[in-house]
Amino acid sequence: MATDCEAWLNANPVEAEDLSDSFASGEEDNAGSVVNKNLKNEINGNWLSSSSNSIHEARLKAKAKRRLRKNSSRDSGRGDSLSDNGDVVRGSSVAPTSPKSKLLDRKSRLGKGRGLPKKGGAGGKGVWGRSGEVYEPEEVDQKDPNYDEAQENCVYETVVPPLEERDFEKTVTPIVQEYFEHGDTNEVAELLAELNLGPMRSEVPSLAVSLALEAKASHRELTSRLLADLCGPVLSRSDMENSFDKLLQELPDLVLDTPGAPQLVGQFIARAVSDQILSQGYIEGYKGRVDCQYTRASLDRAAVLLKMNMGGLRIDNQWGTGGGQRPVIQLIKEMNLLLKEYILSGDTKEAERCLRDLEVPHFHHEFVYEAIVMVLESKGDKTLKMVLQLLKSLSGSSVITVDQMRRGYERVYMDIAEINIDVPRAYFILEQYVDKSFSMGIIDVKIRDLCPCRGRKRFVSEGDGGVVKLESY
């Protein structure tokens, strides 16, 4: 063992300060080779016996081991080490102790693995499994104490409870009112299909008709279309008949809010028979067993309309088409008829009511345009005065807004050149009409100043030297 220690000391010389407890501070510098020769036998001028020599060797080995242990912990296994018996083992790697910075490191400390997460990312707290993993249906364990044979073949479905009577109007009324705005029957059918109407199914047509009685003519037309589209996919013909039976029974109450309810319900019945959602013998089934005068009036109205339908009247147009759903050509024709009837009757209120019933406030500029063109094409001052009176009344009641009035006048100003081809005095009549409109307060100064005037060339007398003057009518 002493031989091995000397070999290690020769390979790794120990400095003097490290062995200060065994050597004097100044002897090794002066002694030279003498110290090396007598190291075994003399230290500090004293001769050592064999037992003291072995103690000294043990100290050297302990010193070397401490130093090697210090170097191994610093170099993480690099360098040399001693075996248990004191042999020098070169290049051996000792497993380093884990520093504090690597306490939370999940990588293997033994250098194994590829650094991937455990279980492919499917392990750990709060993890539901590997992404994209599809679980197979779990087999039922018949040995499970909670196993119930009656539930083995059960089929689970979402059940919607039937709609109660107290919640019916709160649920269906908003659907019908929204339908009056968008006019999409498919959306109404989908919403009603999601509800479990149950015995309240036959209440849908009566609710829709009662809401339409208090609405506009266009809404009644939409209601008739809705009933025709719901019959079949959502409602049956028997539901329709039960609903109209209820309407006829409730007519005395409906008349209190809508005086014309008997005639309107009769029109709904005639339209329903024409659309084949009510049977042809529906009206005949009431003959001889009607006591209420309102019910009798409603059925008589439906019977008359059906007879007129056989004579060529189209019941599908009895309500008319509301607002922007009408073709532009049809709206222009109705406005021309309205103006002609007004010129013959002179009834301003009736003309105003008819214009409101058209339900096209965005198209009132066409009415103003047609009225002015009628004045330009007319003869005499009667038409001019009546049109001024009508536009003054419509402007005062805000049926025709300022913007629509301005657009109507501007359209006439733009087309006056073409109108003048058929009406030679169009410029002169237009100037008179615009001045009177301004004086009556129908238009403002800006619209009056935009009125075009046509200049004409004419030669004056010879005394003026043949100068061409620009004049207007």
Side-chain angles (χ1 to χ4, degrees):
M1 181 179 295
T3 305
D4 295 338
C5 187
E6 289 178 0
W8 183 85
L9 290 173
N10 292 331
N12 299 295
V14 182
E15 296 179 0
E17 58 183 2
D18 295 335
L19 300 176
S20 60
D21 55 346
S22 301
F23 298 99
S25 61
E27 287 181 358
E28 60 181 5
D29 293 335
N30 300 325
S33 61
V34 178
V35 176
N36 294 330
K37 293 179 180 178
N38 299 326
L39 182 62
K40 297 180 181 179
N41 300 322
E42 182 179 1
I43 295 178
N44 294 329
N46 298 321
W47 294 97
L48 301 175
S49 61
S50 60
S51 60
S52 61
N53 191 12
S54 62
I55 294 174
H56 177 65
E57 291 177 358
R59 288 180 178 177
L60 290 179
K61 271 201 279 183
K63 194 79 170 180
K65 284 186 178 181
R66 285 196 300 271
R67 183 172 181 176
L68 181 60
R69 196 176 296 114
K70 181 178 181 181
N71 291 336
S72 64
S73 62
R74 181 186 303 167
D75 298 337
S76 299
R78 295 191 300 270
D80 301 333
S81 62
L82 291 176
S83 61
D84 295 337
N85 55 6
D87 297 338
V88 179
V89 181
R90 296 186 177 275
S92 62
S93 60
V94 180
T97 58
S98 298
K100 293 182 179 179
S101 61
K102 294 187 178 181
L103 289 177
L104 302 177
D105 189 8
R106 294 180 177 272
K107 295 183 180 179
S108 175
R109 297 184 179 88
L110 299 178
K112 297 180 181 180
R114 295 176 294 169
L116 299 178
K118 296 181 179 180
K119 300 181 182 179
K125 184 178 180 181
V127 179
W128 288 86
R130 188 180 294 105
S131 60
E133 183 177 359
V134 179
Y135 295 96
E136 297 180 357
E138 184 179 358
E139 297 182 359
V140 180
D141 187 7
Q142 296 184 359
K143 297 181 180 181
D144 189 354
N146 295 326
Y147 172 74
D148 188 1
E149 184 179 359
Q151 298 182 357
E152 185 174 357
N153 297 325
C154 291
V155 178
Y156 298 94
E157 296 180 355
T158 303
V159 179
V160 179
L163 193 63
E164 297 182 1
E165 184 177 358
R166 60 183 179 182
D167 299 332
F168 174 75
E169 291 189 5
K170 296 180 181 179
T171 306
V172 180
T173 300
I175 297 176
V176 178
Q177 290 177 347
E178 290 180 3
Y179 166 71
F180 290 159
E181 300 296 331
H182 57 73
D184 189 0
T185 57
N186 293 328
E187 182 176 350
V188 179
E190 292 177 359
L191 293 175
L192 293 178
E194 295 176 358
L195 301 175
N196 187 2
L197 296 175
M200 305 299 296
R201 189 180 303 274
S202 60
E203 301 290 334
V204 175
S206 60
L207 178 61
V209 172
S210 61
L211 292 175
L213 293 178
E214 301 175 358
K216 303 176 183 178
S218 59
H219 295 167
R220 295 166 193 158
E221 173 66 22
L222 290 174
T223 302
S224 296
R225 294 182 183 179
L226 178 64
L227 297 182
D229 292 342
L230 291 181
C231 185
V234 180
L235 305 175
S236 61
R237 181 175 290 185
S238 61
D239 295 332
M240 291 291 178
E241 293 181 355
N242 295 334
S243 182
F244 278 99
D245 291 341
K246 181 181 178 181
L247 279 173
L248 292 175
Q249 295 175 3
E250 294 178 350
L251 274 178
D253 297 332
L254 296 176
V255 171
L256 299 177
D257 297 330
T258 308
Q263 288 74 22
L264 296 177
V265 172
Q267 291 180 224
F268 274 111
I269 293 175
R271 178 67 178 271
V273 174
S274 177
D275 293 338
Q276 297 181 358
I277 61 178
L278 290 180
S279 61
Q280 295 290 338
Y282 178 78
I283 300 177
E284 298 294 333
Y286 275 94
K287 281 188 175 181
R289 56 188 190 89
V290 177
D291 298 331
C292 181
Q293 58 176 349
Y294 300 115
T295 304
R296 189 181 300 108
S298 179
L299 294 173
D300 291 342
R301 176 65 175 172
V304 170
L305 289 176
L306 289 175
K307 289 181 180 179
M308 294 174 66
N309 184 30
M310 297 175 60
L313 176 66
R314 294 182 60 185
I315 299 181
D316 55 350
N317 290 333
Q318 63 177 346
W319 302 115
T321 307
Q325 297 179 359
R326 299 187 182 187
V328 175
I329 298 177
Q330 182 181 355
L331 286 173
I332 295 174
K333 289 181 179 180
E334 292 186 3
M335 288 182 178
N336 284 325
L337 290 175
L338 192 157
L339 288 170
K340 291 178 181 179
E341 291 179 359
Y342 168 71
I343 297 298
L344 294 176
S345 63
D347 191 351
T348 305
K349 294 184 178 180
E350 180 65 18
E352 181 178 343
R353 186 190 64 81
C354 294
L355 185 61
R356 289 179 183 271
D357 291 342
L358 291 179
E359 300 179 16
V360 284
H362 61 281
F363 201 60
H364 283 172
H365 60 85
E366 178 67 26
F367 181 81
V368 178
Y369 175 83
E370 296 294 337
I372 299 176
V373 171
M374 181 177 291
V375 171
L376 298 179
E377 295 177 351
S378 63
K379 297 179 180 180
D381 296 337
K382 178 183 176 181
T383 305
L384 187 144
K385 293 179 180 179
M386 295 186 67
V387 170
L388 286 174
Q389 183 181 358
L390 177 61
L391 294 182
K392 175 64 177 178
S393 176
L394 295 176
S395 177
S397 60
S398 299
V399 176
I400 298 180
T401 61
V402 177
D403 180 65
Q404 294 294 317
M405 190 73 70
R406 177 183 56 80
R407 291 182 61 184
Y409 274 80
E410 289 178 352
R411 287 184 56 192
V412 176
Y413 296 163
M414 295 174 60
D415 297 343
I416 189 62
E418 298 180 1
I419 297 174
N420 187 69
I421 298 175
D422 299 329
V423 184
R425 300 179 68 249
Y427 280 95
F428 177 71
I429 299 174
L430 181 61
E431 285 187 15
Q432 289 184 341
Y433 177 81
V434 170
D435 291 338
K436 292 183 179 180
S437 298
F438 174 73
S439 62
M440 295 180 65
I442 300 175
I443 58 176
D444 54 7
V445 180
K446 294 182 180 180
I447 301 177
R448 185 197 65 177
D449 294 342
L450 292 175
C451 179
C453 59
R454 188 190 66 169
R456 66 184 182 87
K457 299 178 181 180
R458 73 179 181 89
F459 291 94
V460 296
S461 61
E462 295 178 357
D464 295 333
V467 179
V468 177
K469 292 186 178 181
L470 297 177
E471 296 182 358
S472 60
Y473 284 103

